[in-house]
Amino acid sequence: MKIIIQKFGGTSLSSKESRQKAVEKIVFIKNKGYSPVVVVSAMGRKGDYYSTDTLLSFLNDEFIKNNKKAVDLLLNTGEIISSVIMCKELYEVGISAMPMTGGQAGIITDNCFGNAKVLTVKTNNILEIINCGKVPVVSGFQGETETGDYTTIGRGGSDTTAAILGAVLKAEKIEIYTDVDGIMTADPKIVKDATLIEQMSYDELFNLAALGAKVIHQKAAKIAADSKIPLTIKNTFNYGTGTSVSNSKEIYCDKLITAITHIDNRVQISIFYEDNKLNNNYFEVLNELSINDISIDLINVFTDRKIFTIDQMELKKLDLILKDLNLKYNYRDNCSKISLIGSGMRGIPGVMAKILKTLKDEKIEILQTSDSHTTIWCLIPSEYTVSAIIALHNVFN
Ligand code: ADP
Ligand code: MG
C-alpha cells in the first residue's frame, strides 16, 4: 500500500469549483495506484461561512479566554463540515470516501485546549478504511483527548495533521495544496513578480515557515524534516510542479537572497538602564520573561539599554510582569519584522549595507537590525511593510 497525503487549505475548498479542482488531484493520485489520505482545513477564509475565523467571530475575547474547551468544540466543526462535503464531492465522481474527525483518525492529544500536543496516533481506523479501498478524508487541525474531548492543535494545524499522518503512515509523499504555485521568493500577493522556488531543503523550509512564509506551518515543516518524507507544495488550481522539499544540500547558493518574508504585529520593547538604575531586576529581566514563557526576539543588549521584540498579543502580559518587577520601559507597536533569507549571503560582504541603502532610498525608518550567516532581519514600522518588501525584492532578484 503506497500512501500519499494530500492536504487542502481553506481557499482550495471554499467553492464548488475549487473543490472540484481538489477532487481532480485526488483522482489523479488514485489512478496512479496510490492510496490517497486527504486532510482538509475549514472551508474558505474569514467571512466565508464555516472558516475558523468566522466561527471565532461568534465569540468574544472574554469567553474565549475562560472557555477554551468550548472554543475547541466549536472550531472542530469547521473541519468536520469540510471533510463531509469533500466526501460528497468524491462520491459524485464515483469515489467512495469516509469523513473522519481528528479523533476518529486516531490523533490523541493532551488536554491543552487551543494548542494541544499530539501524544500518539492510533492508525488502525484509518488503515482499515484504506484497506477497504476507501479514501479517508481527515479533518485537519484537531485531535481528541483519551477521555473524548475535542481539541485543536494550534494555528496552521491542518499542515501539522498532514505531516503527522505522513510520518505515522510512512507515506511516500506529503502534498500540501494551496492557492499559490508553491513557495515563492516573496508573498506573491505582495510582490507580483515573485518567482517559484522549485527545490529546497527541509532546513530552508523550516526557516522560511518560522519567519512568516505562511504557506506551511513551521511545526509541520519540522515533522516532515524529522520523518524525511518528501514534501511538495503545489497549487490546487493548476498543474505546476510546485516546490519540492527534500534532504538535498542547500540549493540556492548561487543567489544572495532566496526569499523575503515578514511577520507583522511585532512590538519593540526598550528598557533603559538610566530609568532603572536602582533596580537589580534590570539585570534579570530577560530571564524573568523566559520563566514567564514570553517569547522574545531581535535581542540587542547594550551597556545602557536592552532592546527586543515580542508579539503584540503578549504586550499585556509583559506589562504586568515588568510592573511586578518595578521596571520602566518604552514600547513601539505596529512593527513588522522583515527577513531576508539566503545561504548565498554567507561570507559575502556588503549585503546589510545594500539592504540599509534600499530602505533609506525608500525613506523607510529602520528600527532595529540583526543578522546570522544566512538571514538578515530588519524591524520597520508596519505601514512600510509592502513598500519595503517590493523594493528589497527588486534589488535582490
Ligand atoms: P492555505 O489556506 O492553503 O493553508 P495559507 O494562507 O496558509 O493557505 O498560505 C498560503 C498563502 O501564503 C498564500 O496565499 C500567500 O499569500 C502566502 N505567502 C506568504 N509568503 C509566501 C511565500 N514566500 N510564497 C508563497 N506564498 C506565500
Ligand atoms: Mg495554511
Side-chain angles (χ1 to χ4, degrees):
M1 179 178 10
K2 294 195 292 183
I3 293 173
I4 291 191
I5 311 289
Q6 297 185 298
K7 179 256 166 176
F8 296 93
T11 43
S12 305
L13 302 166
S14 59
S15 67
K16 176 86 184 163
E17 291 72 35
S18 56
R19 289 191 293 274
Q20 277 171 344
K21 294 286 173 199
V23 166
E24 281 176 27
K25 308 292 179 192
I26 300 166
V27 171
F28 180 75
I29 283 299
K30 210 168 168 352
N31 287 346
K32 279 185 134 185
Y34 291 100
S35 303
V37 171
V38 176
V39 176
V40 290
S41 298
M43 296 190 291
R45 298 225 168 106
K46 193 169 188 162
D48 291 323
Y49 284 126
Y50 307 111
S51 76
T52 303
D53 285 320
T54 303
L55 294 172
L56 268 178
S57 72
F58 286 102
L59 309 177
N60 57 41
D61 288 353
E62 174 77 18
F63 183 87
I64 291 173
K65 199 168 133 216
N66 298 314
N67 298 276
K68 294 205 163 121
K69 184 169 159 180
V71 176
D72 270 7
L73 189 58
L74 175 68
L75 294 189
N76 268 255
T77 60
E79 274 73 11
I80 294 174
I81 290 169
S82 196
S83 71
V84 177
I85 291 176
M86 259 320 265
C87 281
K88 177 243 155 196
E89 307 288 6
L90 288 164
Y91 178 83
E92 282 181 357
V93 296
I95 292 182
S96 174
M98 179 63 78
M100 304 182 91
T101 64
Q104 287 169 335
I107 299 174
I108 305 298
T109 71
D110 65 14
N111 65 356
C112 183
F113 296 101
N115 195 19
K117 188 172 161 212
V118 176
L119 302 175
T120 181
V121 184
K122 299 176 181 168
T123 54
N124 47 324
N125 270 351
I126 218 168
L127 287 173
E128 203 175 302
I129 289 165
I130 298 171
N131 284 330
C132 293
K134 291 187 181 176
V135 176
V137 180
V138 181
S139 314
F141 173 56
Q142 55 184 247
E144 206 176 303
T145 64
E146 286 285 7
T147 49
D149 290 323
Y150 283 44
T151 54
T152 62
I153 59 174
R155 272 296 167 107
S158 293
D159 296 333
T160 311
T161 303
I164 289 176
L165 290 179
V168 296
L169 296 170
K170 300 196 174 33
E172 303 280 309
K173 198 161 65 157
I174 300 168
E175 297 182 335
I176 304 284
Y177 282 97
T178 185
D179 62 342
V180 291
D181 284 349
I183 305 217
M184 322 273 291
T185 49
D187 184 341
K189 292 196 180 122
I190 295 179
V191 178
K192 295 293 165 233
D193 58 354
T195 52
L196 177 71
I197 304 171
E198 287 176 2
Q199 279 187 310
M200 64 173 61
S201 66
Y202 291 114
D203 279 353
E204 287 171 318
L205 178 74
F206 179 77
N207 206 10
L208 275 156
L211 294 174
K214 247 179 111 192
V215 208
I216 183 166
H217 197 271
Q218 55 173 303
K219 242 197 260 176
K222 170 88 173 59
I223 295 164
D226 289 347
S227 59
K228 298 191 177 61
I229 296 181
L231 180 116
T232 56
I233 296 161
K234 295 189 190 186
N235 196 331
T236 308
F237 304 99
N238 63 35
Y239 283 89
T241 49
T243 302
S244 300
V245 186
S246 64
N247 235 349
S248 52
K249 58 185 183 340
E250 284 160 348
I251 293 149
Y252 286 92
C253 301
D254 57 327
K255 264 176 124 189
L256 273 183
I257 305 289
T258 310
I260 302 174
T261 59
H262 75 284
I263 299 179
D264 293 329
N265 298 321
R266 303 304 297 172
V267 182
Q268 185 187 44
I269 308 290
S270 309
I271 310 178
F272 289 93
Y273 177 69
E274 188 62 28
D275 295 339
N276 297 288
K277 61 183 160 192
L278 299 175
N279 185 345
N280 266 337
N281 289 333
Y282 175 79
F283 301 100
E284 289 302 319
V285 62
L286 298 187
N287 196 26
E288 285 294 330
L289 295 178
S290 139
I291 292 168
N292 283 283
D293 222 16
I294 293 210
S295 159
I296 63 177
D297 74 350
L298 289 184
I299 306 160
N300 293 144
V301 176
F302 304 101
T303 43
D304 63 335
R305 76 207 123 118
K306 298 178 201 287
I307 304 183
F308 54 87
T309 67
I310 58 166
D311 189 276
Q312 176 87 39
M313 303 243 282
E314 304 265 45
L315 187 56
K316 269 192 199 149
K317 189 171 162 194
L318 175 118
D319 182 64
L320 289 176
I321 296 166
L322 294 188
K323 281 206 175 110
D324 215 36
L325 296 170
N326 221 2
L327 285 168
K328 296 197 176 73
Y329 71 99
N330 299 340
Y331 76 90
R332 176 157 182 168
D333 56 6
N334 288 320
C335 299
S336 294
K337 183 172 82 167
I338 311 285
S339 307
L340 294 97
I341 305 150
S343 42
M345 73 170 87
R346 234 182 233 134
I348 307 278
V351 184
M352 178 68 101
K354 202 165 165 181
I355 293 169
L356 297 185
K357 180 170 182 330
T358 306
L359 296 179
K360 181 171 169 285
D361 289 349
E362 291 290 314
K363 302 193 171 43
I364 295 171
E365 186 185 1
I366 302 162
L367 303 170
Q368 212 177 328
T369 64
S370 184
D371 64 286
S372 74
H373 289 309
T374 56
T375 310
I376 291 180
W377 297 274
C378 299
L379 190 73
I380 61 168
S382 293
E383 60 192 288
Y384 298 113
T385 303
V386 170
S387 52
I389 293 174
I390 292 173
L392 290 166
H393 195 270
N394 270 341
V395 166
F396 285 100
N397 209 34

